Amino acid sequence: MHITAKVDYAVRTLLEIARATPDAKIKADSIAAAQRIPPKVLETVLGELRRAELVVSRRGPDGGYSLARPAAEISIADVIRAIEGPLASVRGQRPEDVKYPGAAEPLQSVWIALRVNIRAVLENVTVADIVADRLPEFVDALTGDPGAWERR
């Protein structure tokens, strides 16, 4: 799976908004400066996050952006889907729909296992987890390095 710059910017944008107090509205220029995101790119990202109902915006001097729902209810998978569409696919199809002949037949199980594990991480890590600097324990177990997140 390839994480695009746009997805990275979107996650960082949500983290910046989530870090603010719950009722605060964060201005786009503050997000751009704090996360070093080009303003034009941020404008596009914020539009997509708004259409996906992950952020809400308000115009005017007291306006800005805030999360549309609590950070604990926004998974990284939600962000990826909002920006790029469905998670891991194989040749544009679901892995269980791909049938390989002969010696390659077991490859289908590999693609399914890959998709399941990617989804397990992305669906279960939330914006709140990252803002609080705590990831679910299974993430450390998957890396084979317990405590890796805390040592970074």
Side-chain angles (χ1 to χ4, degrees):
M1 169 171 223
H2 176 76
I3 302 298
T4 64
K6 198 171 175 185
V7 166
D8 181 64
Y9 289 154
V11 173
R12 289 168 43 202
T13 296
L14 291 172
L15 294 172
E16 198 63 33
I17 295 169
R19 191 174 70 158
T21 57
D23 296 329
K25 302 281 186 209
I26 307 299
K27 302 231 181 264
D29 58 345
S30 296
I31 297 167
Q35 291 299 318
R36 298 185 188 135
I37 300 172
K40 284 290 190 189
V41 174
L42 180 60
E43 185 179 314
T44 300
V45 166
L46 283 166
E48 291 180 22
L49 293 173
R50 192 175 60 250
R51 281 187 290 285
E53 300 180 352
L54 296 178
V55 299
V56 293
S57 63
R58 191 165 119 190
R59 294 179 186 231
D62 294 331
Y65 292 88
S66 60
L67 297 180
R69 58 184 190 251
E73 295 177 16
I74 301 173
S75 71
I76 302 307
D78 293 333
V79 182
I80 293 171
R81 284 189 200 101
I83 300 300
E84 298 291 332
L87 300 178
S89 63
V90 177
R91 297 187 303 151
Q93 302 173 17
R94 297 179 340 172
E96 54 272 17
D97 293 339
V98 176
K99 301 295 182 208
Y100 294 104
E105 189 175 338
L107 186 56
Q108 176 184 19
S109 296
V110 173
W111 296 145
I112 291 170
L114 176 66
R115 189 178 76 177
V116 166
N117 281 286
I118 287 172
R119 289 178 68 115
V121 172
L122 298 176
E123 293 283 359
N124 291 294
V125 175
T126 68
V127 169
D129 292 331
I130 298 170
V131 168
D133 199 13
R134 62 172 163 67
L135 291 181
E137 289 182 22
F138 79 92
V139 173
D140 285 336
L142 288 172
T143 66
D145 186 10
W149 180 256
E150 289 79 18
R151 288 193 304 275
R152 65 168 168 72

